[in-house]
Amino acid sequence: MFENILETKKEYFGLDIGHATIKIIDLAKSGKDFSLRSHNEVPISPNAMGTSGISNKNELAQVIKKALETAKPRKIIAKAVCSALPETVVFSKVIKMPKMKGNDLAKAVPFEAAEFFPIPLSEMNLDWHVIDTQNNPEAKEMEILVIAASKVLVKDYLEIFNLAGLELIALETKAIAAARAVLLPEEKDRYVLVDFGSEASSVCIVENGVVKNTGTIKTGGNAITRGLVTVLKIKPEEAEKIKKTSGIEPGKKDEKNLAVIRALFPIIEEVNNSIKYFQTRVEKDAKIKQIKIYGGAARLPNLTDYLQKNLNIPTVLANPWTRIKTRPSEAVPAQDALKYTTAIGLAMREL
Protein backbone atom coordinates (compact mmCIF):
# COMPACT_ATOMS: atom_id res chain seq x y z
CA MET A 1 0.00 0.00 0.00
CA PHE A 2 1.28 3.47 -0.97
CA GLU A 3 4.58 2.08 -2.33
CA ASN A 4 4.31 4.60 -5.14
CA ILE A 5 5.16 7.37 -2.68
CA LEU A 6 7.80 5.30 -0.88
CA GLU A 7 10.29 4.21 -3.52
CA THR A 8 13.17 1.94 -2.44
CA LYS A 9 14.18 -1.64 -1.65
CA LYS A 10 16.42 -2.26 1.36
CA GLU A 11 16.84 -4.53 4.36
CA TYR A 12 13.95 -3.62 6.60
CA PHE A 13 11.97 -4.48 9.75
CA GLY A 14 8.31 -4.25 10.77
CA LEU A 15 7.04 -1.64 13.22
CA ASP A 16 3.50 -1.47 14.59
CA ILE A 17 2.37 1.70 16.40
CA GLY A 18 -0.40 0.77 18.83
CA HIS A 19 -2.50 2.62 21.39
CA ALA A 20 -0.04 2.26 24.25
CA THR A 21 3.09 0.62 22.81
CA ILE A 22 5.12 0.14 19.67
CA LYS A 23 6.10 -3.37 18.60
CA ILE A 24 9.14 -4.12 16.44
CA ILE A 25 10.04 -7.36 14.63
CA ASP A 26 13.19 -8.01 12.58
CA LEU A 27 13.17 -11.19 10.45
CA ALA A 28 15.65 -12.97 8.22
CA LYS A 29 14.20 -14.75 5.18
CA SER A 30 15.31 -18.11 3.79
CA GLY A 31 13.27 -19.30 0.83
CA LYS A 32 9.62 -19.20 1.87
CA ASP A 33 10.39 -19.30 5.59
CA PHE A 34 11.62 -16.78 8.14
CA SER A 35 13.69 -16.69 11.32
CA LEU A 36 13.37 -14.15 14.11
CA ARG A 37 16.43 -11.93 14.58
CA SER A 38 15.20 -9.33 17.07
CA HIS A 39 12.08 -7.94 18.68
CA ASN A 40 10.97 -5.28 21.14
CA GLU A 41 7.94 -3.63 22.71
CA VAL A 42 8.23 -0.13 24.17
CA PRO A 43 5.47 2.02 25.78
CA ILE A 44 4.36 5.30 24.20
CA SER A 45 2.10 8.10 25.39
CA PRO A 46 -1.54 6.93 25.22
CA ASN A 47 -3.47 8.37 22.29
CA ALA A 48 -0.27 9.57 20.62
CA MET A 49 -1.96 8.89 17.31
CA GLY A 50 -5.40 10.27 16.53
CA THR A 51 -7.60 10.45 13.47
CA SER A 52 -6.24 13.89 12.61
CA GLY A 53 -2.55 13.07 12.99
CA ILE A 54 0.20 12.29 15.48
CA SER A 55 0.45 14.58 18.49
CA ASN A 56 4.16 14.59 19.43
CA LYS A 57 6.35 13.47 16.56
CA ASN A 58 9.71 14.17 18.21
CA GLU A 59 8.81 12.19 21.32
CA LEU A 60 7.60 9.21 19.28
CA ALA A 61 10.73 9.31 17.10
CA GLN A 62 12.92 9.11 20.21
CA VAL A 63 10.90 6.13 21.49
CA ILE A 64 11.47 4.35 18.17
CA LYS A 65 15.21 4.98 18.40
CA LYS A 66 15.24 3.56 21.92
CA ALA A 67 13.28 0.50 20.82
CA LEU A 68 15.83 -0.27 18.10
CA GLU A 69 18.78 0.14 20.47
CA THR A 70 17.26 -2.06 23.18
CA ALA A 71 15.82 -4.78 20.92
CA LYS A 72 16.42 -8.37 22.03
CA PRO A 73 18.60 -10.36 21.66
CA ARG A 74 20.50 -7.70 19.67
CA LYS A 75 19.85 -4.16 18.53
CA ILE A 76 18.29 -3.60 15.12
CA ILE A 77 20.62 -1.84 12.67
CA ALA A 78 18.40 -1.80 9.57
CA LYS A 79 17.47 1.72 8.51
CA ALA A 80 14.36 0.91 6.49
CA VAL A 81 10.95 0.15 7.98
CA CYS A 82 7.51 -1.16 6.98
CA SER A 83 4.64 0.17 9.10
CA ALA A 84 0.86 0.11 9.15
CA LEU A 85 -2.10 2.39 9.60
CA PRO A 86 -4.90 1.26 11.95
CA GLU A 87 -8.34 0.64 10.48
CA THR A 88 -9.70 3.52 12.59
CA VAL A 89 -7.92 6.01 10.31
CA VAL A 90 -8.15 4.12 7.01
CA PHE A 91 -11.11 3.92 4.63
CA SER A 92 -11.49 0.71 2.64
CA LYS A 93 -14.12 -0.57 0.27
CA VAL A 94 -14.55 -3.42 -2.20
CA ILE A 95 -16.11 -2.05 -5.38
CA LYS A 96 -17.21 -3.76 -8.60
CA MET A 97 -16.31 -2.29 -11.97
CA PRO A 98 -16.39 -3.38 -15.61
CA LYS A 99 -13.21 -5.18 -16.64
CA MET A 100 -10.54 -2.78 -17.88
CA LYS A 101 -6.78 -2.40 -17.89
CA GLY A 102 -3.93 0.02 -17.27
CA ASN A 103 -4.59 3.72 -17.70
CA ASP A 104 -8.36 3.25 -17.99
CA LEU A 105 -8.43 1.58 -14.58
CA ALA A 106 -6.20 4.23 -13.01
CA LYS A 107 -8.62 6.92 -14.17
CA ALA A 108 -11.83 5.06 -13.29
CA VAL A 109 -11.05 3.86 -9.75
CA PRO A 110 -10.70 7.32 -8.12
CA PHE A 111 -13.88 8.45 -9.83
CA GLU A 112 -15.84 5.42 -8.56
CA ALA A 113 -14.27 5.58 -5.08
CA ALA A 114 -15.09 9.26 -4.54
CA GLU A 115 -18.73 8.55 -3.65
CA PHE A 116 -17.80 6.10 -0.86
CA PHE A 117 -15.24 8.07 1.15
CA PRO A 118 -16.17 10.89 3.55
CA ILE A 119 -13.32 13.28 2.70
CA PRO A 120 -12.29 14.68 -0.72
CA LEU A 121 -9.90 12.56 -2.79
CA SER A 122 -7.58 15.56 -3.00
CA GLU A 123 -6.94 15.11 0.75
CA MET A 124 -6.24 11.36 0.59
CA ASN A 125 -3.61 8.95 -0.64
CA LEU A 126 -5.45 6.29 -2.64
CA ASP A 127 -4.38 2.73 -3.41
CA TRP A 128 -6.22 -0.25 -4.89
CA HIS A 129 -5.79 -3.93 -5.66
CA VAL A 130 -7.68 -5.99 -8.23
CA ILE A 131 -9.23 -9.11 -6.65
CA ASP A 132 -9.87 -12.51 -8.24
CA THR A 133 -9.65 -11.58 -11.91
CA GLN A 134 -8.61 -15.11 -12.91
CA ASN A 135 -11.26 -17.09 -11.01
CA ASN A 136 -13.87 -16.42 -13.68
CA PRO A 137 -12.39 -15.38 -17.04
CA GLU A 138 -15.90 -14.97 -18.48
CA ALA A 139 -16.98 -12.41 -15.88
CA LYS A 140 -17.68 -8.93 -17.21
CA GLU A 141 -16.95 -7.27 -13.87
CA MET A 142 -14.00 -7.31 -11.49
CA GLU A 143 -13.69 -6.64 -7.77
CA ILE A 144 -11.29 -3.98 -6.56
CA LEU A 145 -10.23 -3.34 -2.96
CA VAL A 146 -9.82 0.42 -2.60
CA ILE A 147 -7.89 1.82 0.37
CA ALA A 148 -7.55 5.49 1.27
CA ALA A 149 -5.78 7.37 4.06
CA SER A 150 -5.43 11.02 4.95
CA LYS A 151 -2.43 12.69 3.32
CA VAL A 152 -1.81 14.48 6.63
CA LEU A 153 -1.47 11.19 8.49
CA VAL A 154 0.76 9.62 5.83
CA LYS A 155 2.94 12.74 5.96
CA ASP A 156 3.14 12.40 9.77
CA TYR A 157 4.39 8.83 9.44
CA LEU A 158 7.03 9.89 6.94
CA GLU A 159 8.15 12.70 9.23
CA ILE A 160 8.34 10.52 12.35
CA PHE A 161 10.53 7.91 10.72
CA ASN A 162 12.70 10.59 9.18
CA LEU A 163 13.22 12.10 12.66
CA ALA A 164 14.16 8.61 13.88
CA GLY A 165 16.78 8.32 11.12
CA LEU A 166 14.75 5.72 9.23
CA GLU A 167 13.27 5.38 5.77
CA LEU A 168 9.62 4.37 5.52
CA ILE A 169 9.48 2.06 2.49
CA ALA A 170 5.95 0.65 2.79
CA LEU A 171 2.76 1.63 4.56
CA GLU A 172 -0.30 -0.60 4.59
CA THR A 173 -3.25 -1.48 6.81
CA LYS A 174 -2.87 -3.56 9.96
CA ALA A 175 -5.44 -6.07 8.69
CA ILE A 176 -3.42 -6.81 5.55
CA ALA A 177 -0.24 -7.28 7.60
CA ALA A 178 -1.97 -9.54 10.13
CA ALA A 179 -3.48 -11.74 7.41
CA ARG A 180 0.01 -12.26 6.00
CA ALA A 181 1.27 -13.40 9.41
CA VAL A 182 -1.50 -15.80 10.47
CA LEU A 183 -2.60 -17.37 7.17
CA LEU A 184 -0.47 -19.75 5.13
CA PRO A 185 -0.43 -19.22 1.34
CA GLU A 186 -2.37 -22.46 0.87
CA GLU A 187 -5.21 -21.31 3.18
CA LYS A 188 -7.63 -20.17 0.47
CA ASP A 189 -10.88 -20.37 2.44
CA ARG A 190 -12.76 -17.48 4.03
CA TYR A 191 -11.63 -16.45 7.50
CA VAL A 192 -12.66 -13.76 9.96
CA LEU A 193 -9.67 -12.15 11.67
CA VAL A 194 -10.35 -10.28 14.93
CA ASP A 195 -7.72 -7.93 16.33
CA PHE A 196 -8.68 -7.58 20.01
CA GLY A 197 -6.65 -4.56 21.10
CA SER A 198 -6.49 -2.49 24.25
CA GLU A 199 -8.74 0.43 23.24
CA ALA A 200 -10.04 -0.60 19.81
CA SER A 201 -10.69 -3.81 17.92
CA SER A 202 -11.01 -4.60 14.23
CA VAL A 203 -12.76 -7.30 12.27
CA CYS A 204 -11.83 -8.28 8.73
CA ILE A 205 -12.90 -10.98 6.31
CA VAL A 206 -10.15 -12.62 4.26
CA GLU A 207 -10.73 -14.80 1.22
CA ASN A 208 -7.96 -16.42 -0.80
CA GLY A 209 -5.47 -14.42 1.26
CA VAL A 210 -7.07 -11.10 0.29
CA VAL A 211 -8.71 -8.74 2.80
CA LYS A 212 -12.18 -8.11 1.40
CA ASN A 213 -14.01 -6.34 4.21
CA THR A 214 -12.97 -4.49 7.37
CA GLY A 215 -14.72 -2.93 10.35
CA THR A 216 -13.59 -1.23 13.54
CA ILE A 217 -15.12 -0.81 16.98
CA LYS A 218 -13.93 1.38 19.84
CA THR A 219 -13.76 -1.32 22.47
CA GLY A 220 -11.00 -3.63 23.66
CA GLY A 221 -9.36 -5.19 26.66
CA ASN A 222 -9.33 -1.92 28.61
CA ALA A 223 -13.14 -1.76 28.38
CA ILE A 224 -13.27 -5.00 30.36
CA THR A 225 -10.94 -3.55 32.98
CA ARG A 226 -13.05 -0.39 33.31
CA GLY A 227 -16.22 -2.44 33.58
CA LEU A 228 -14.76 -4.53 36.41
CA VAL A 229 -13.60 -1.39 38.22
CA THR A 230 -17.12 0.02 38.08
CA VAL A 231 -19.16 -3.03 39.11
CA LEU A 232 -16.73 -4.45 41.68
CA LYS A 233 -15.58 -1.05 42.99
CA ILE A 234 -11.91 -2.05 42.89
CA LYS A 235 -8.67 -0.49 41.68
CA PRO A 236 -7.65 -0.84 38.01
CA GLU A 237 -4.67 -3.00 39.01
CA GLU A 238 -6.98 -5.47 40.75
CA ALA A 239 -9.40 -5.45 37.84
CA GLU A 240 -6.59 -6.16 35.39
CA LYS A 241 -5.46 -9.14 37.45
CA ILE A 242 -8.99 -10.57 37.64
CA LYS A 243 -9.43 -10.11 33.89
CA LYS A 244 -6.22 -11.98 33.07
CA THR A 245 -6.77 -14.84 35.51
CA SER A 246 -10.54 -15.40 35.35
CA GLY A 247 -11.58 -14.05 31.97
CA ILE A 248 -15.04 -15.33 31.06
CA GLU A 249 -16.40 -17.99 33.39
CA PRO A 250 -18.93 -20.14 31.48
CA GLY A 251 -22.36 -20.41 33.09
CA LYS A 252 -21.77 -17.74 35.74
CA LYS A 253 -24.08 -14.72 35.89
CA ASP A 254 -22.43 -12.75 38.67
CA GLU A 255 -21.50 -9.07 38.33
CA LYS A 256 -17.92 -9.85 37.35
CA ASN A 257 -18.87 -12.15 34.50
CA LEU A 258 -21.62 -9.87 33.21
CA ALA A 259 -19.18 -6.93 33.12
CA VAL A 260 -16.83 -8.96 30.89
CA ILE A 261 -19.67 -10.10 28.61
CA ARG A 262 -21.01 -6.53 28.21
CA ALA A 263 -17.57 -5.38 27.00
CA LEU A 264 -17.43 -8.22 24.47
CA PHE A 265 -20.91 -7.67 23.02
CA PRO A 266 -19.80 -4.98 20.49
CA ILE A 267 -17.20 -7.38 19.09
CA ILE A 268 -19.78 -10.13 18.57
CA GLU A 269 -22.11 -7.60 16.96
CA GLU A 270 -19.38 -6.34 14.61
CA VAL A 271 -18.41 -9.87 13.53
CA ASN A 272 -22.07 -10.67 12.78
CA ASN A 273 -22.54 -7.39 10.89
CA SER A 274 -19.34 -7.92 8.88
CA ILE A 275 -20.41 -11.41 7.84
CA LYS A 276 -23.93 -10.26 6.91
CA TYR A 277 -22.53 -7.37 4.87
CA PHE A 278 -20.11 -9.68 3.10
CA GLN A 279 -22.85 -12.18 2.32
CA THR A 280 -25.29 -9.58 1.00
CA ARG A 281 -22.97 -7.10 -0.75
CA VAL A 282 -19.85 -9.07 -1.72
CA GLU A 283 -20.60 -12.81 -2.00
CA LYS A 284 -24.06 -14.25 -1.39
CA ASP A 285 -24.32 -17.06 1.18
CA ALA A 286 -20.54 -17.17 1.68
CA LYS A 287 -19.47 -19.58 4.43
CA ILE A 288 -16.78 -18.70 6.98
CA LYS A 289 -14.37 -21.53 7.75
CA GLN A 290 -12.88 -20.13 10.97
CA ILE A 291 -12.41 -17.08 13.18
CA LYS A 292 -8.84 -16.31 14.23
CA ILE A 293 -8.22 -13.92 17.13
CA TYR A 294 -5.03 -11.96 17.79
CA GLY A 295 -3.94 -8.74 19.51
CA GLY A 296 -2.89 -7.74 23.01
CA ALA A 297 -6.19 -8.70 24.67
CA ALA A 298 -6.77 -11.93 22.74
CA ARG A 299 -5.55 -14.20 25.55
CA LEU A 300 -8.54 -13.45 27.74
CA PRO A 301 -9.31 -16.87 29.33
CA ASN A 302 -12.15 -18.75 27.60
CA LEU A 303 -12.56 -16.04 24.94
CA THR A 304 -12.39 -18.42 21.97
CA ASP A 305 -14.98 -20.78 23.47
CA TYR A 306 -17.31 -17.88 24.25
CA LEU A 307 -17.09 -16.41 20.75
CA GLN A 308 -17.51 -19.82 19.12
CA LYS A 309 -20.63 -20.51 21.13
CA ASN A 310 -22.20 -17.12 20.37
CA LEU A 311 -21.19 -16.91 16.71
CA ASN A 312 -21.51 -20.61 15.86
CA ILE A 313 -18.24 -20.54 13.92
CA PRO A 314 -15.04 -22.43 14.89
CA THR A 315 -12.83 -19.94 16.74
CA VAL A 316 -9.14 -20.20 17.62
CA LEU A 317 -6.24 -18.05 18.73
CA ALA A 318 -4.21 -17.06 15.69
CA ASN A 319 -0.62 -18.27 15.36
CA PRO A 320 1.62 -15.44 14.12
CA TRP A 321 4.64 -17.80 14.19
CA THR A 322 3.19 -20.00 11.42
CA ARG A 323 6.00 -19.19 8.97
CA ILE A 324 8.70 -18.29 11.51
CA LYS A 325 10.73 -21.50 11.64
CA THR A 326 13.56 -20.53 14.02
CA ARG A 327 13.59 -18.22 17.00
CA PRO A 328 16.40 -17.43 19.50
CA SER A 329 16.10 -18.45 23.15
CA GLU A 330 15.23 -14.85 24.00
CA ALA A 331 12.25 -14.96 21.64
CA VAL A 332 8.87 -13.46 22.39
CA PRO A 333 7.14 -15.47 25.17
CA ALA A 334 4.13 -17.45 23.98
CA GLN A 335 1.74 -15.34 26.08
CA ASP A 336 2.96 -12.18 24.32
CA ALA A 337 3.22 -13.43 20.74
CA LEU A 338 -0.29 -12.35 19.70
CA LYS A 339 0.60 -8.72 20.41
CA TYR A 340 3.28 -8.89 17.71
CA THR A 341 1.01 -10.25 14.95
CA THR A 342 0.87 -7.04 12.91
CA ALA A 343 4.61 -6.33 13.30
CA ILE A 344 5.41 -9.89 12.19
CA GLY A 345 3.23 -9.48 9.10
CA LEU A 346 4.93 -6.19 8.28
CA ALA A 347 8.38 -7.74 8.57
CA MET A 348 7.26 -10.56 6.23
CA ARG A 349 6.12 -8.16 3.55
CA GLU A 350 7.43 -8.65 0.00
CA LEU A 351 8.67 -5.45 -1.60
Side-chain angles (χ1 to χ4, degrees), residues 37-56:
R37 287 194 292 214
S38 291
H39 72 280
N40 207 356
E41 180 182 24
V42 177
I44 60 175
S45 299
N47 300 311
M49 183 171 62
T51 55
S52 59
I54 297 173
S55 57
N56 193 327

Side-chain angles (χ1 to χ4, degrees), residues 175-189:
I176 291 174
R180 186 182 300 122
V182 304
L183 294 174
L184 291 169
E186 57 267 27
E187 291 185 289
K188 306 295 186 182
D189 297 289

Side-chain angles (χ1 to χ4, degrees), residues 6-77:
L6 312 167
E7 298 177 356
T8 189
K9 284 191 177 183
K10 297 182 178 180
E11 188 168 323
Y12 57 91
F13 59 92
L15 189 150
D16 174 25
I17 303 175
H19 169 76
T21 68
I22 61 169
K23 274 80 70 177
I24 296 178
I25 290 287
D26 185 24
L27 299 176
K29 186 175 182 181
S30 177
K32 295 182 179 180
D33 297 324
F34 299 85
S35 59
L36 177 65
R37 287 194 292 214
S38 291
H39 72 280
N40 207 356
E41 180 182 24
V42 177
I44 60 175
S45 299
N47 300 311
M49 183 171 62
T51 55
S52 59
I54 297 173
S55 57
N56 193 327
K57 301 180 186 66
N58 282 298
E59 179 183 328
L60 188 52
Q62 292 306 311
V63 172
I64 291 172
K65 284 184 177 181
K66 176 186 175 184
L68 296 175
E69 287 289 330
T70 59
K72 308 172 188 68
R74 62 184 67 86
K75 72 177 182 179
I76 297 173
I77 60 174

Side-chain angles (χ1 to χ4, degrees), residues 87 90-94 117 145-148 173 211 213-215:
E87 273 61 38
V90 175
F91 308 104
S92 63
K93 180 81 174 178
V94 174
F117 298 133
L145 174 64
V146 185
I147 305 168
T173 70
V211 174
N213 188 55
T214 62

Side-chain angles (χ1 to χ4, degrees), residues 32 167 272:
K32 295 182 179 180
E167 183 177 12
N272 273 322

